[in-house]
Amino acid sequence: MPAQIIDGKKIAKQITEGLKKKVAALQGDARPGLAVVRVGDDPASVSYVNSKEKKCKELGYYSVKKELPEETSEKELLKLVAELNADPRIHGILVQLPLPKHISEQKVLAAISPEKDVDGFHPMNLGRLLRHEKTIESCTPKGIIKLIKSTGIEIAGKNAVVVGRSNIVGKPVAALLLNENATVTICHSKTTDLTSHLKQADIVVVAVGQASLITGDMLKKGAVVIDVGTNRLEDGKLHGDVDFESAEKVAGFLTPVPGGVGPMTIACLMENTYEAFAS
Ligand code: GUN
């Protein structure tokens, strides 16, 4: 039997429709406010930032989009972050990554007020995540957990393998899976035998940015496979890190690219912004 496809678009829509209703029911003028900051013209970032702004409009959020030139200095960006921190209409601040090389990502992320850090990238929020304390969870990792839970499969006690150790996805999703009581292995570019780990994995999350790195023959029969890859190839199409055709024959559940993790990231950003507003 081929894998069941996890419809991220549908699950994301359920979340955003719920938020839209909550905003429509608000009394007075107060509404969730999100500021999205982009520095430079990276095409993927332009597209991500625009879709975040569009989603804010759709849900009735107050939205601010700041598009700064590539030459913007670190000092100027830090000044903007400080202004947004002080702006009572703004409940969430997202600085789109990657930043130009002359700007310290670490300094900028740490300058965002932890309570407005709807990306969950501030060291305080990441520390709370590791300590399994109440925190703002990063959008993509949070969306991944929701997708896994949508299958009805119990995470506790399962073997979970995360392929990729980025600060944005791999490490935080591993922490979330651990908080859900999975037995978690993180594989990366120096892992000697990736297949031996994957063959034990009931849950697989792949976030490395290499098209079709994982093929069906590397997976355990029936595994839940979450593909975070968004690789734009010469055919102009988006391809995941998992070879869909072969994985579909082995996995129990599989996310498509596009239409899997991507829509969940934006939905969770909207959810985090609403929660920052409501708290
Ligand atoms: N770049 C790629 N993914 C993300 C994300 O989730 N948040 C931010 N701020 N930048 C990104």
Side-chain angles (χ1 to χ4, degrees):
M1 209 169 59
Q4 286 189 49
I5 306 308
I6 306 176
D7 189 346
K9 226 168 144 177
K10 186 170 144 199
I11 301 165
K13 198 166 169 78
Q14 286 165 1
I15 296 168
T16 52
E17 287 299 316
L19 294 168
K20 201 177 189 171
K21 284 200 188 107
K22 280 195 199 176
V23 174
L26 288 172
Q27 308 286 323
D29 291 338
R31 55 203 56 259
L34 175 68
V36 182
V37 181
R38 171 168 64 75
V39 186
D41 292 315
D42 172 63
S45 294
V46 171
S47 147
Y48 289 144
V49 164
N50 289 344
S51 29
K52 285 162 189 171
E53 189 197 26
K54 198 170 140 209
K55 195 56 79 182
C56 279
K57 297 240 159 82
E58 193 187 315
L59 302 192
Y61 286 20
Y62 173 64
S63 156
V64 170
K65 181 167 75 168
K66 299 279 184 187
E67 295 168 296
L68 308 177
E70 180 83 20
E71 320 78 70
T72 303
S73 70
E74 185 180 282
K75 200 172 157 197
E76 284 169 308
L77 181 57
L78 289 170
K79 185 166 167 274
L80 173 62
V81 168
E83 283 164 16
L84 295 168
N85 281 340
D87 187 338
R89 294 166 301 179
I90 298 294
H91 307 92
I93 302 170
L94 181 144
V95 177
Q96 188 66 33
L97 303 177
L99 287 169
K101 291 214 165 30
H102 65 276
I103 299 179
S104 158
E105 178 183 304
Q106 190 194 345
K107 262 195 206 164
V108 173
L109 295 180
I112 297 171
S113 290
E115 60 277 12
K116 294 193 178 187
D117 169 39
V118 283
D119 245 337
F121 292 164
H122 190 286
M124 170 97 83
N125 287 323
L126 286 168
R128 285 179 178 151
L129 172 70
L130 275 185
R131 291 174 57 92
H132 202 175
E133 294 170 0
K134 189 169 164 25
T135 185
I136 304 179
E137 295 172 0
S138 297
C139 309
T140 302
K142 185 179 185 180
I144 291 169
I145 299 295
K146 287 183 194 279
L147 289 176
I148 298 169
K149 287 187 173 171
S150 79
T151 66
I153 286 193
E154 169 89 29
I155 298 176
K158 294 292 188 320
N159 289 333
V161 168
V162 177
V163 188
R165 54 175 155 177
S166 69
N167 289 322
I168 292 184
V169 183
K171 282 189 262 185
V173 83
L176 282 176
L177 286 163
L178 183 61
N179 290 348
E180 295 286 342
N181 296 310
T183 301
V184 183
T185 304
I186 306 178
C187 296
H188 45 78
S189 52
K190 299 285 190 290
T191 298
T192 48
D193 188 356
L194 180 59
T195 303
S196 71
H197 293 286
L198 288 172
K199 280 286 177 194
Q200 305 294 317
D202 308 298
I203 298 166
V204 179
V205 178
V206 193
V208 287
Q210 276 186 59
S212 303
L213 174 75
I214 309 295
T215 47
D217 57 323
M218 300 163 81
L219 297 166
K220 179 179 172 182
K221 186 91 193 142
V224 178
V225 181
I226 309 291
D227 187 352
V228 192
T230 50
N231 308 287
R232 180 107 29 213
L233 300 189
E234 291 98 64
D235 61 4
K237 290 190 193 141
L238 223 47
H239 293 257
D241 291 347
V242 178
D243 177 58
F244 190 88
E245 214 171 282
S246 60
E248 197 186 15
K249 297 189 177 92
V250 184
F253 297 88
L254 178 61
T255 60
V257 176
V261 174
M264 291 300 286
T265 298
I266 296 202
C268 290
L269 173 67
M270 295 299 135
E271 188 174 80
N272 283 352
T273 304
Y274 188 88
E275 284 167 7
F277 159 76
S279 65

